[in-house]
Each structure stands twice: as C-alpha cells, then as structure tokens.
C-alpha cells in the first residue's frame, strides 16, 4: 500500500517520538476486510440502478428538532444521534456486508501505531458541504469537541480520547488517554462531522445559532440527502443531493437511489400499520409481530400481488432483548428478587400459543455471536473471572447459566415455588395473599409498554407475578411519554433491545457501566452499578487480541446474566418485511445488515 506522504512525519506523544505507520484504506476489528485497494463498489449492489421516485416510510410519535446531538428535543427521522444519518457524512462508512469494518468516506485513509495510542485520518480533498465549501480538519476537531461536550452518548463513548488535533493540511489526529484500546481507531472512524462555519454563523434573522439547543432550522449537511420540507411534528421530506460529493465512492455506488424519502408520523404503530395497508403514505413494514405476520396479511393488496412478503436472513449482529429491570427502585435492588421475577417468565407457552414456535429464547447479552458465554468458564475466561471472584455471584464459577424452561406440566408450580423461596429470603412474605416486606409495604410492579400489541405477550407474565402476591400491572403509554419516562428512568420494567457487534468495546460503558447509570437518556436503563461489571468492561475494551476479547466478553456476559438485570425475551433469525411492489432490489441482500434499503430503487413504471 502506498504512503500518502513522501516524508515521515514525527510528533511528540507522551514524550516519545513515533513514526507514521502505513496508511490504511479500511479499519477493522478482528476480521480481514473483504475489499482492498481495488474496492469499487459492494458486490451485491446494482451500480446501474435508476435514480428517481419516493421512498415513503413511517415513524410513531412526533419530533421537534433537527439537532440530534443533545439531550433535549426529539430529533426528526433521518437525523441520527449516533452516526451521520441522511444529513452528515462520517469520517469512514461502516460496511453493509461485514461486521466491524469501515471503508473511506470523508477520510480516504487512516493510520495508527501498534500500541493503539492514537489514530490519524487523512481527509479526502473532494469532501464538501452542501454549500460547496470543503470539509476541513478544523471541522473535524470542532465536531469532536462539540459532540463530547454536548452529547452524553459521545461523552461516554469518547471518554478515552484525550484530544483531537489538526496535524496536517488535511489530517486530524486523535490522541488517546491510554494505549491498547484496539477499538478506538475504528470508533473514531464512525464520528459524524459537523460544519463549524454554519453552526457558528447566524440564521436568516441574524440570530447566532446554538448547537446546544433544539432547532427546526434546516441545517447545512454533507450527506446524500438534505431536508426539502417538513410539517413540524408530522412529516419530513428529504431530497437527494444530485451533486453529492461522495456519490461515486465505493461505499455509495449503486446506493441512495431514491429522489426523495418521505417520513409520515403516526400516533401509534397501529395507525402506521393501517396506513401501510392502504398504500401511498407508507411503502414498507418491518414486521416484528409474528402473529400478525402469520394471520393478518390477508388484505386485498397482498392477495392481488401489490404487496410482497419476504423474509431476509440476518446474521450480522447479536442482541439482548428483554424486560429491563430498573434496579434504581428499592424493590429490585436485591438480586434474589430479580431472579424470582425471571423464574416467573414462561417463554415456552408464549412461543407455542402466540408465536407459532417461530422464536428462539435469548440466553446471552451477545446472543447470536460467538461471544456468548457457554457452559462453565475455563481457560482465559476463567482467569479473567478470577480477578473479580469476590464481587460476583458464586454460580458464575459453578453453574452454567440457563433460563427457566416451562416444558413440563409441573413447570409452573416448580418455578413459582422457587421464586417464592427467593422472595422470602430477600425479606418478602405473603400476608393475606399480598407480598409485603417487614414494613408492611406491598410489592408493586408495573411493566411500561409503548404498544398495545405487547399486552397479550406480557399478560401471562403479569398473571404469574400476581400468583406470587405481587401487585403487578402493565400500562401502555404514548410514544413521547414512553421515551421521556425511559430517558428519565421513571419505570419499573420496560422492554428494550440492545444490539451488539462482533467486536464489542467502548459502547459497553454506555450499556452497563456505572457512570452511565444515573445519566438521563443513557442506554443503561437497568441502572447497573457493579464494580465487577465495570472491571470486565475495561478488560473487553483493552483486550490485546481476538482470543482475549472473546474471553473477556464471555466473562462480562456471564456476570451480567447471573445478576438478573434483564429478563430475556426472544429473537427471530430473519427479518420479516412486507413492501408495496414498486421497488427493484439487488440480490442477495447483505446478511450482515439484513436488508440495505439504500440499495433499493423505484421501478421506472412506478415513479
């Protein structure tokens, strides 16, 4: 691979002079990138896909901001709080075909030393904002500082990044607090870049813009689309940028084919479903209700072939989906209580009676990946767990974790009897068929839901809890209230999905780390504050190689499981999608992402 410079640049880092390593046209974590220097486009795309037409999508709730990088306000569809979205390009683009691989976007190459103490990005001189001005190293440095200052997510995600510096005309270097964090170069490659000159300018009224506040002024961007129009809180339309600077880069060729993307907002998912059935307003539906998938797709448009149903293989990531228990609430502080709640969850009956036996039970925080804990710990994993032995449940070392399996006639009686024993040990007892503590306080629990469709699947769990004497209930709230209550941890139990990559790292601090537990809007909705978990996350982040990463992640998984912070639910091995017959779709769609909607196009006769 050719070096981008004819000379060797040195700079001081921790008082040590370090020579430039080779420039890389991809960043990866533990895997060999599929594409090398001859990368021209993803294999599956149609590089001759026609441009045109409108992609109509739906969202529930509302929006009141075009600034996704702050806590206040609800960002509109197309604005991503963690990546670039439609509006902003990132330094490098995550591969749609591979997990944990980045390819060039704003940055055409990157370099980092063997000790992972810094990463440098060389910017593409052709990179432009929509106003034609170049994307500069100053923009990158300013974006890093703004994101870390104003976004709780990025503040935590970038906590190990000491500073960003312009180290060349088109070069930016990120200096890290410590050596050995193999993920940080990759993480920084996915940083969105914001236009400093626009945000530090004034609006049409002469008022200085404020990136720390919500706004409905359409911001300047650099991505494949820009906002064309919107109705506050109700809809937003994005228009393809015809002179998009990166249209011919390998990661974009054959993609972003729709002339427009239109998002309509609905009060609840059922309203969006009805709009999809009628057509025009909503073009597709990612169906997450297996009962509806099997029983409700009998409307006329399906019967006459106007709506197509397909299942797409999806094997690109792991996940934890379940009922997250708010351990900030006193009744859930005791691990034995949380275990008792878990014992009351009967998945097998649900799968048989409601899910057509199409789902699988989740049994790991990294379900679907080789990072999931298996059997008893041994080898490197055992060695890592020994460092926190006095801080974790004894079962971590003696018993393989397993969910209760309701597969026998006496399963319900057996598991609920065990649950009551645990509740008794934790200081709760039955008094006139009500579970109370020594103060006479009744054990009360509410499962907060965002969709009435979840009620049927939650009701059997509520019934089992009531059999234990718990004053258990469930409540459906509207989308905006749900988001607000979850962000402020105002709930007992809530359903949530946490996706996982094949190369976990810094994001684990946001999911399970103590520092994120009390920060409003964090992903640590369970409120986990566990020193052993914190230590194991650090082992994951600073793993020296793939073997150690797998061992550390399995150790973390095992400790999380045995603390019963989440009651695992279920998953499907495919994505069920229905769409109106207006699209051309390149085949096969990438399994790493399930489907890549930007690679679709509107058929010419459907425009």
């Amino acid at each position: 691979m050719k070096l981008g410079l004819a000379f060797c640049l040195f700079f001081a880092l921790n008082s040590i002079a370090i020579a430039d390593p080779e420039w890389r046209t991809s960043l990866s974590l533990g895997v060999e990138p599929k594409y090398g220097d001859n990368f021209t486009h993803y294999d599956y795309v149609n590089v001759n896909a026609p441009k045109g037409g409108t992609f109509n999508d739906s969202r529930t709730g509302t929006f009141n901001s075009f600034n996704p990088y702050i806590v206040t306000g609800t960002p509109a569809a197309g604005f991503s709080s963690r990546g670039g979205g439609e509006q902003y390009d990132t330094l490098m683009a995550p591969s749609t075909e591979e997990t944990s691989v980045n390819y060039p976007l704003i940055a055409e190459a990157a370099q980092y030393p063997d000790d992972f103490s810094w990463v440098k990005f060389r910017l593409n001189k052709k990179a432009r904002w929509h106003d034609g001005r170049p994307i500069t190293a100053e923009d990158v440095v300013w974006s890093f500082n703004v994101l870390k200052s104003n976004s709780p997510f990025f503040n935590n995600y970038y906590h190990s990044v000491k500073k960003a510096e312009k180290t060349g005309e088109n070069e930016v270097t990120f200096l890290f607090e410590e050596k050995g964090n193999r993920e940080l170069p990759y993480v920084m490659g996915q940083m969105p870049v914001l236009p400093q000159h626009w945000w530090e300018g004034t609006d049409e009224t002469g008022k200085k813009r404020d990136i720390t506040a919500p706004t409905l002024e359409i911001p300047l961007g650099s991505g494949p689309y820009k906002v064309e129009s919107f109705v506050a809180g109700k809809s937003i339309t994005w228009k393809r940028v015809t002179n998009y600077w990166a249209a011919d880069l390998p990661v974009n060729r054959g993609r972003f084919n729709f002339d427009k993307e239109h998002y309509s907002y609905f009060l609840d998912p059922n309203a969006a479903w009805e709009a999809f059935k009628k057509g025009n307003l909503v073009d597709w539906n990612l169906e997450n209700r297996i009962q509806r998938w099997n029983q409700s797709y009998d409307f006329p448009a399906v019967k006459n072939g106007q709506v197509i149903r397909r299942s797409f293989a999806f094997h690109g990531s792991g996940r934890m989906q379940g009922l997250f228990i708010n351990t900030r609430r006193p009744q859930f502080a005791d691990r034995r209580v949380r275990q008792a709640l878990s014992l009351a969850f009967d998945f097998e009956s649900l799968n048989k009676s409601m899910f057509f036996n199409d789902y699988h039970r989740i049994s790991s925080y990294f379900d679907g990946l080789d990072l999931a804990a298996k059997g008893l710990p041994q080898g490197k994993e055992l060695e890592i767990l020994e460092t926190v032995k006095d801080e974790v449940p004894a079962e971590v070392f003696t018993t393989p974790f397993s969910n209760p399996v309701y597969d026998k006639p006496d399963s319900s009686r057996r598991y609920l009897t065990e649950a009551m024993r645990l509740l008794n040990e934790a200081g709760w007892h039955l008094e006139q068929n009500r579970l109370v503590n020594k103060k006479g306080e009744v054990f009360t629990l509410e499962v907060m839901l965002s969709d009435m469709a979840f009620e049927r699947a939650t009701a059997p769990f509520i019934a089992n809890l009531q059999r234990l004497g718990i004053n258990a209930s469930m409540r459906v709230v509207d989308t905006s209230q749900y988001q607000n209550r979850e962000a402020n941890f105002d709930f007992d139990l809530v359903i949530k999905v946490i996706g996982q990559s094949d190369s976990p790292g810094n994001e684990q601090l946001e999911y399970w780390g103590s520092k994120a537990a009390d920060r409003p809007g964090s992903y640590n909705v369970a409120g986990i504050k566990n020193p052993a978990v914190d230590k194991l996350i650090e082992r994951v982040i600073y793993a020296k190689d793939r073997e150690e990463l797998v061992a550390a992640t399995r150790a973390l998984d095992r400790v999380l499981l045995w603390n019963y912070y989440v009651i695992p639910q279920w998953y499907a091995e495919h994505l069920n999608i229905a769409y109106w017959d207006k699209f051309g779709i390149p085949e096969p769609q990438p399994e790493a992402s399930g489907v890549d909607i930007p690679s679709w196009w509107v058929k010419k006769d459907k425009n």
Side-chain angles (χ1 to χ4, degrees):
M1 185 180 299
K2 290 185 178 180
L3 293 178
L5 297 174
F7 59 90
C8 196
L9 173 67
F10 291 83
F11 66 93
L13 179 63
N14 297 328
S15 301
I16 300 176
I18 303 176
D20 279 353
E22 66 172 350
W23 287 102
R24 304 168 184 264
T25 54
S26 62
L27 292 174
S28 64
L29 291 172
V31 297
E32 184 68 25
K34 177 179 179 179
Y35 301 103
D37 291 343
N38 60 346
F39 180 29
T40 58
H41 57 82
Y42 292 121
D43 286 345
Y44 66 91
V45 302
N46 175 7
V47 294
N48 298 312
K51 306 293 185 184
T54 300
F55 177 75
N56 297 295
D57 204 350
S58 66
R59 293 291 186 272
T60 56
T62 187
F63 70 89
N64 59 11
S65 179
F66 293 157
N67 182 0
Y69 302 116
I70 55 176
V71 174
T72 54
T74 302
F79 289 93
S80 171
S81 62
R82 299 179 64 176
E86 314 287 26
Q87 180 75 7
Y88 303 111
D89 280 333
T90 49
L91 285 170
M92 302 187 83
S95 173
T96 59
E97 283 194 278
E98 309 149 272
T99 59
S100 306
V101 177
N102 291 339
Y103 291 110
L105 193 51
I106 291 176
E108 64 182 11
Q111 60 177 194
Y112 55 84
D114 292 340
D115 64 3
F116 300 94
S117 56
W118 54 267
V119 65
K120 181 188 295 183
F121 293 96
R122 187 178 68 216
L123 307 187
N124 189 326
K125 293 180 181 180
K126 296 180 181 179
R128 292 289 186 275
W129 300 108
H130 292 157
D131 64 1
R133 294 179 59 165
I135 300 175
T136 65
E138 287 83 0
D139 286 321
V140 178
V141 172
W142 183 83
S143 298
F144 169 77
N145 292 329
V146 163
L147 291 170
K148 195 169 183 181
S149 298
N150 300 317
S151 166
F153 170 78
F154 284 108
N155 180 269
N156 200 40
Y157 204 33
Y158 298 159
H159 84 285
S160 295
V161 185
K162 183 161 52 178
K163 66 186 299 187
E165 291 182 337
K166 177 182 177 181
T167 50
E169 184 58 32
N170 289 291
E171 294 176 4
V172 176
T173 301
F174 295 94
L175 309 180
F176 304 151
E177 292 283 359
E178 299 178 38
K179 302 175 182 179
N181 189 332
R182 303 171 64 88
E183 189 192 32
L184 274 183
Y186 173 84
V187 165
M188 301 316 300
Q190 294 183 358
M191 190 188 85
V193 181
L194 315 180
Q196 180 180 8
H197 70 280
W198 190 88
W199 281 104
E200 291 188 341
T202 57
D203 62 21
E204 59 183 14
T205 68
K207 182 180 179 182
K208 192 178 188 308
R209 297 185 178 100
D210 182 4
I211 197 169
T212 68
T215 181
L216 283 177
E217 180 186 11
I218 298 174
L220 177 69
S222 62
Y225 291 87
K226 59 183 177 182
V227 177
E228 179 184 54
S229 62
F230 67 96
V231 178
K234 295 183 178 180
S235 67
I236 182 171
T237 301
W238 293 80
K239 184 177 181 180
R240 184 170 58 87
V241 178
T242 55
N243 61 344
Y244 175 40
W245 76 271
D248 291 327
L249 289 185
V251 293
N252 291 332
R253 289 190 65 203
R255 304 177 71 231
F256 306 112
N257 302 311
F258 308 123
D259 271 353
K260 294 184 181 182
E261 295 181 354
H262 179 78
Y263 297 88
S264 299
Y265 277 76
F266 298 89
L267 291 176
D268 58 61
N270 284 329
W273 161 247
E274 293 300 325
F276 166 70
K277 289 197 297 181
K278 294 177 181 178
N280 296 321
L281 265 183
V282 182
D283 290 336
W284 81 309
N285 186 47
L286 174 59
E287 186 57 74
N288 57 8
R289 305 180 192 174
I290 193 64
Q291 185 174 23
R292 187 160 71 187
W293 183 253
N294 282 282
Q295 295 182 335
S296 299
Y297 281 79
D298 56 357
F299 51 95
V302 175
K303 293 179 178 179
N304 64 27
Q306 289 178 289
V307 168
I308 298 171
R309 296 197 308 156
R310 288 185 58 186
S311 294
F312 294 86
F314 176 53
H315 303 297
S317 64
R319 86 290 286 168
M320 166 53 82
Q321 174 183 315
L323 290 155
F324 282 60
I325 303 170
N326 188 355
T327 62
R328 304 170 189 84
R329 299 278 168 94
Q331 68 267 40
F332 307 123
D334 193 306
R335 183 178 76 100
R336 292 168 296 187
V337 168
R338 302 194 298 270
Q339 183 178 0
L341 299 182
S342 182
L343 287 169
F345 190 83
D346 177 1
F347 165 73
E348 283 69 30
S349 296
L350 278 177
N351 202 27
K352 182 179 180 180
S353 64
M354 297 184 192
F355 302 152
F356 302 87
N357 284 320
D358 195 58
Y359 288 154
H360 304 276
R361 184 78 191 270
I362 286 176
S363 59
S364 165
Y365 282 72
F366 302 86
D367 211 302
L369 302 171
D370 70 340
L371 302 166
K374 300 178 178 67
L376 289 174
Q378 53 186 325
K380 188 66 177 179
E381 182 191 352
L382 179 59
E383 179 185 323
I384 291 171
L385 285 168
E386 290 285 353
T387 65
V388 293
K389 186 171 185 177
D390 296 334
E391 305 171 75
V392 301
E395 295 94 329
V396 165
F397 297 92
T398 63
T399 311
F401 180 85
S402 63
N403 292 305
V405 179
Y406 281 72
D407 60 347
K408 294 181 173 60
D410 68 338
S411 293
S412 180
R413 178 181 58 80
R414 180 160 50 90
Y415 286 126
L416 293 184
T417 298
E418 175 63 12
M420 182 59 73
R421 183 188 69 78
L422 290 165
L423 290 167
N424 291 161
E425 286 184 4
W428 297 89
H429 63 278
L430 281 176
E431 190 173 287
Q432 296 180 345
N433 293 321
R434 299 188 306 169
L435 195 67
V436 299
N437 59 17
K438 292 179 181 179
K439 297 179 182 179
E441 298 168 329
V442 177
F443 194 121
T444 300
L445 176 158
E446 178 188 85
V447 178
M448 184 175 72
L449 304 171
S450 62
D451 187 343
M452 288 187 295
F454 296 139
E455 287 183 306
R456 288 191 65 217
T458 306
F461 175 57
I462 295 295
N464 272 351
L465 295 180
Q466 292 172 343
R467 289 174 64 185
L468 292 169
I470 295 174
N471 180 21
S473 62
M474 54 184 167
R475 182 185 178 192
V476 180
V477 301
D478 63 68
T479 302
S480 59
Q481 183 181 356
Y482 185 92
Q483 291 172 344
N484 183 64
R485 286 185 59 182
E486 181 186 302
N488 290 285
F489 313 127
D490 180 19
F491 63 88
D492 292 332
L493 274 72
V494 67
I495 296 173
K496 193 169 183 66
V497 181
I498 297 291
Q500 293 283 6
S501 78
D502 193 43
S503 298
N506 292 270
E507 75 286 346
Q508 305 304 309
L509 293 167
E510 176 73 7
Y511 298 159
W512 333 113
S514 296
K515 290 183 179 179
D518 294 326
R519 192 184 71 243
S522 89
Y523 281 74
N524 187 354
V525 296
I528 300 170
K529 287 184 177 179
N530 186 321
V533 169
D534 292 338
K535 292 173 185 176
L536 292 173
I537 291 174
E538 290 297 308
R539 292 299 297 264
V540 170
I541 292 173
Y542 291 99
K544 295 180 176 61
D545 51 37
R546 179 69 186 178
E547 180 184 4
E548 184 175 343
L549 176 66
V550 171
T553 305
R554 288 179 177 176
L556 172 63
D557 184 33
R558 200 179 299 273
V559 171
L560 289 170
L561 289 168
W562 277 110
N563 274 286
Y564 295 98
Y565 298 119
V566 178
I567 301 172
Q569 290 185 317
W570 50 78
Y571 72 94
E573 293 183 331
H574 45 265
L575 302 178
N576 292 326
I577 294 176
Y579 56 90
W580 283 82
D581 185 19
K582 61 183 283 187
F583 300 111
I585 303 176
E587 304 290 354
Q589 287 283 278
E591 291 189 13
S593 47
V595 293
D596 178 30
I597 298 295
S599 71
W600 296 18
W601 64 88
V602 176
K603 298 175 183 177
K604 289 185 177 181
D605 61 339
K606 303 292 184 178
N607 280 337

